[in-house]
Amino acid sequence: MKSRAQLKPKWIAYATLLACVICTGVAAASEGGLQILPDWTTKLPLLIVLFALLISPVNAILFKPIFQVLDAREERTMGTRKRAESVMKQADATLAEYERAVREVRAEAEQARKREASAARQETAGVIDEARAESERQLERAKTELAAALEQSRQILRTQLQSLADEAASQVLGRPL
């Protein structure tokens, strides 16, 4: 069974149709020409009453549902826009956090690289200093050994020189010395 609210719009629609049929008049052609505007003295009050009676049903049947649909659509649109703005703000915040993290990681990596390069330079300098010290020690040892060998060779040569000189003198003199 239909409710009263469902029957009311049909009744109003039929009443509106009946009023339109009653109020309409055929434009009569007369000797003076075609009469387009009706006689307002008798029909104007009836039109005002019909208009006043139809405002409420037309509002209830047509305008309120249309405005409700438009309001609901605007509410959904605004809700969607607000959610989109919220998501965009959240995405911007996440992107900013990501970029900050990337900058921090890069800075840390650069510092670690500098520390490693500095440590490598120090280690290299230490190895070079150690190699230099070792080569200086070897050079000093070689100089010492060379000086000792030279002194030994001089000693040997002195003794040999003395014996050669004695031998040469004995041969020149023809007698042993």
Side-chain angles (χ1 to χ4, degrees):
M1 180 170 202
K2 293 185 178 180
S3 68
R4 253 183 145 170
Q6 290 174 336
L7 293 177
K8 188 174 182 182
K10 282 187 177 180
W11 176 82
I12 293 173
Y14 291 134
T16 305
L17 183 61
L18 181 62
C20 289
V21 169
I22 292 173
C23 291
T24 57
V26 179
S30 63
E31 287 180 18
L34 182 63
Q35 182 183 5
I36 295 177
L37 297 175
D39 182 19
W40 291 108
T41 56
T42 58
K43 293 184 182 177
L44 184 59
L46 182 62
L47 287 174
I48 292 173
V49 169
L50 284 175
F51 181 76
L53 288 174
L54 290 176
I55 284 177
S56 177
V58 168
N59 188 28
I61 294 172
L62 184 66
F63 293 129
K64 277 187 182 178
I66 288 175
F67 288 140
Q68 286 175 351
V69 167
L70 291 176
D71 288 344
R73 182 171 27 168
E74 184 175 346
E75 190 175 305
R76 283 192 314 265
T77 303
M78 292 306 289
T80 303
R81 281 187 183 160
K82 287 179 183 176
R83 282 192 305 273
E85 287 174 3
S86 172
V87 167
M88 287 299 292
K89 286 179 183 177
Q90 190 175 17
D92 289 342
T94 303
L95 181 62
E97 178 66 23
Y98 170 76
E99 288 174 348
R100 183 193 58 76
V102 167
R103 280 193 304 272
E104 286 178 3
V105 167
R106 283 185 181 162
E108 288 174 9
E110 181 66 20
Q111 289 176 353
R113 186 193 63 78
K114 286 180 181 178
R115 281 193 306 269
E116 290 297 322
S118 176
R121 271 190 241 112
Q122 289 175 352
E123 186 178 330
T124 302
V127 169
I128 289 172
D129 288 344
E130 193 176 306
R132 185 175 289 134
E134 180 62 29
S135 68
E136 285 178 9
R137 280 193 301 271
Q138 287 179 358
L139 184 62
E140 284 300 317
R141 234 180 303 149
K143 281 182 182 179
T144 305
E145 289 174 5
L146 186 60
L150 183 61
E151 188 59 36
Q152 185 181 7
S153 295
R154 282 185 183 158
Q155 287 295 335
I156 293 172
L157 282 175
R158 278 188 195 133
T159 57
Q160 285 179 354
L161 182 64
Q162 188 63 36
S163 78
L164 279 177
D166 286 346
E167 194 178 309
S170 358
Q171 280 183 359
V172 169
L173 292 175
R175 63 177 177 96
L177 289 176

